[in-house]
Amino acid sequence: MQELKNQILCGDCVEVLRRAQAPFADLVFADPPFNIGYKYDKYHDEKAHTQYLAWTRAWIGECVRLLKPQGSIYIAIGDEYAAHIKLILEDELRLTMRNWIVWHYTFGQQTKNKFARSHTHILYFVKDAKSFVFNDDVVRVISDRQKKYCDRRANPDGKMPDDVWNEYPRVCGTFLERTGFPCQMPESLLARIIRASSNEGDWVLDPFCGSGTTAAVAHKLKRTYTTIDLSEAYAEAARERIARSEGLPVEGNGSDWPEHADAELKWLYGENKIPVAQLCENRPLLSLFTKKLNGRLQKKQPYTIKEVSTRLNRLGSQLSPLDKTSSVRREASSLEE
Ligand SMILES: C[S@@+](CC[C@H](N)C(=O)[O-])C[C@H]1O[C@@H](n2cnc3c(N)ncnc32)[C@H](O)[C@@H]1O
């Protein structure tokens, strides 16, 4: 299995995976073509229904075979085949569904004679209903009880995110992470899944590499990865993407806010949905936010709430659009340490 470790392979995932013998994956994330006529360079995304279903059974079967007994699998899929895939996993392969997640994004495709589609399904299953990795602590968000009602009964660690995810916009032209690949998943969304359902050192398999989002995030979060694409051009671009994130500093490299810390700060900010002004003015919220950020970054020397507040204010318009209406900016320097 060593030959698959940290590899971006070119080939048909079913054929490549068939060659592997023993289960190695702690987590599978798969975002296959949806059979909706999307334009890829090598794959033709308009198969006959029965052919697409047979192929779906084949790749899911291989992924499940190579998933370890305590492993988890997430499959992103459109409306057309979400129900079929649920039944394949549940009834045919006897896995247990944990969540039917709906990723709701803005800027769905415009339509004239029906409502515009603005979601993708993400089906989350485990092999063993009683034994699997789920790290709730790293994905919890600040609850309404904490941010709106200052309710003392609130869980101090925050609440689990809902199963409708609307905090991750589709990757658009202005995003730093944008590669040019047409249906690139946001790194922030993959980070939530990988953090929740695997630990450092675990092995993440993605049979449909595309731009390499899963591998890039797995690499940044210190997981092992294997991913495959039919297209050599996509695989090569993904290898370059990983190479660019090679040696990301864990501690700042001279700069107080290395790129990955900024990325993490933006993701956390988007997930918690508290405008900068409110966050920076409310010391308990800011300190909880800072604790979550430090937890994710695992810095030896954690950021102080003053540093986080200053950085949030500096990033300003680069943060998600929560703050469009906010005119209040609290000077971080006036915060007590
Ligand atoms: C929806 S895209 C994946 C996007 C990816 N999640 C990302 O964030 O960039 C699906 C990819 O699967 C690839 N593909 C299609 N059939 C395949 C097969 N049999 N084996 C491996 N890759 C395949 C396509 O070339 C395309 O790049």
Side-chain angles (χ1 to χ4, degrees):
M1 230 57 65
Q2 290 309 307
E3 67 282 3
L4 294 179
K5 227 171 192 181
N6 293 327
Q7 292 301 313
I8 297 183
L9 303 159
C10 177
D12 170 14
C13 62
V14 179
E15 284 173 21
V16 172
L17 295 176
R18 264 189 197 138
R19 292 199 286 270
Q21 280 163 13
F24 64 86
D26 297 286
L27 169 64
V28 173
F29 175 82
D31 173 23
F34 290 1
N35 210 27
I36 51 175
Y38 216 88
K39 296 276 172 279
Y40 299 103
D41 69 348
K42 292 283 184 245
Y43 179 81
H44 177 65
D45 190 32
E46 242 170 348
K47 305 262 184 277
H49 173 73
T50 45
Q51 189 190 355
Y52 181 80
L53 263 188
W55 174 71
T56 298
R57 276 201 176 81
W59 70 255
I60 294 181
E62 284 308 309
C63 288
V64 169
R65 183 178 67 80
L66 296 172
L67 189 63
K68 288 193 198 156
Q70 272 77 42
S72 307
I73 178 166
Y74 289 71
I75 300 181
I77 193 69
D79 291 357
E80 295 75 9
Y81 289 95
H84 301 80
I85 289 184
K86 178 183 188 275
L87 293 179
I88 292 173
L89 286 166
E90 208 163 50
D91 292 358
E92 297 177 23
L93 297 168
R94 299 279 165 205
L95 270 66
T96 301
M97 186 162 97
R98 299 214 66 234
N99 283 114
W100 183 312
I101 296 159
V102 173
W103 172 33
H104 167 232
Y105 44 74
T106 43
F107 301 114
Q109 277 188 345
Q110 285 313 303
T111 48
K112 272 192 177 164
N113 60 359
K114 63 174 187 171
F115 301 110
R117 189 188 294 192
S118 60
H119 66 272
T120 292
H121 308 272
I122 302 179
L123 308 179
Y124 161 35
F125 279 74
V126 290
K127 259 193 172 170
D128 183 336
K130 296 214 171 97
S131 176
F132 49 82
V133 171
F134 195 80
N135 299 311
D136 69 297
D137 48 328
V138 276
V139 293
R140 281 181 180 276
V141 292
I142 297 172
S143 64
D144 278 355
R145 281 191 166 183
Q146 291 169 299
K147 66 185 168 205
K148 282 195 191 153
Y149 310 117
C150 301
D151 185 335
R152 293 218 175 109
R153 291 168 302 173
N155 181 333
D157 296 326
K159 65 159 199 149
M160 283 309 291
D162 300 333
D163 56 8
V164 175
W165 295 0
N166 54 15
E167 51 278 77
Y168 304 117
R170 286 210 293 191
V171 179
C172 62
T174 53
F175 283 31
L176 281 179
E177 68 187 79
R178 172 94 180 168
T179 62
F181 182 79
C183 47
Q184 181 183 347
M185 283 256 172
E187 291 195 6
S188 46
L189 183 149
L190 260 302
R192 174 177 277 176
I193 291 174
I194 292 174
R195 279 202 168 102
S197 291
S198 70
N199 294 315
E200 268 188 37
D202 280 356
W203 198 329
V204 182
L205 166 67
D206 181 342
F208 304 104
C209 170
S211 67
T213 310
T214 308
V217 178
H219 178 64
K220 287 180 190 175
L221 298 179
K222 304 195 185 85
R223 275 64 167 174
T224 298
Y225 59 84
T226 300
T227 185
I228 309 156
D229 206 287
L230 270 186
S231 159
E232 180 51 44
Y234 295 165
E236 186 48 31
R239 286 182 203 115
E240 284 164 18
R241 182 174 177 186
I242 301 271
R244 283 197 298 278
S245 68
E246 204 66 66
L248 268 182
V250 174
E251 293 288 306
N253 53 350
S255 146
D256 287 343
W257 286 92
E259 196 185 315
H260 76 289
D262 263 352
E264 199 65 71
L265 184 71
K266 289 180 198 165
W267 296 348
L268 195 63
Y269 177 76
E271 287 170 17
N272 284 284
K273 303 177 190 160
I274 310 173
V276 170
Q278 186 191 348
L279 185 57
C280 293
E281 287 195 335
N282 182 325
R283 196 185 163 104
L285 282 188
L286 184 61
S287 99
L288 180 54
F289 184 90
T290 305
K291 186 175 152 207
K292 285 182 180 294
L293 180 72
N294 286 325
R296 288 191 180 186
L297 290 171
Q298 297 181 357
K299 264 170 69 66
K300 283 195 206 92
Q301 210 176 350
Y303 288 121
T304 63
I305 61 168
K306 185 172 165 185
E307 285 168 321
V308 171
S309 162
T310 305
R311 192 64 190 164
L312 282 168
N313 278 296
R314 284 233 171 98
L315 287 174
S317 60
Q318 293 178 46
L319 296 166
S320 62
L322 284 170
D323 284 298
K324 287 236 166 81
T325 53
S326 148
S327 54
V328 192
R329 286 248 163 132
R330 176 160 164 109
E331 270 310 306
S333 54
S334 65
L335 278 167
E336 283 171 33
E337 272 306 287

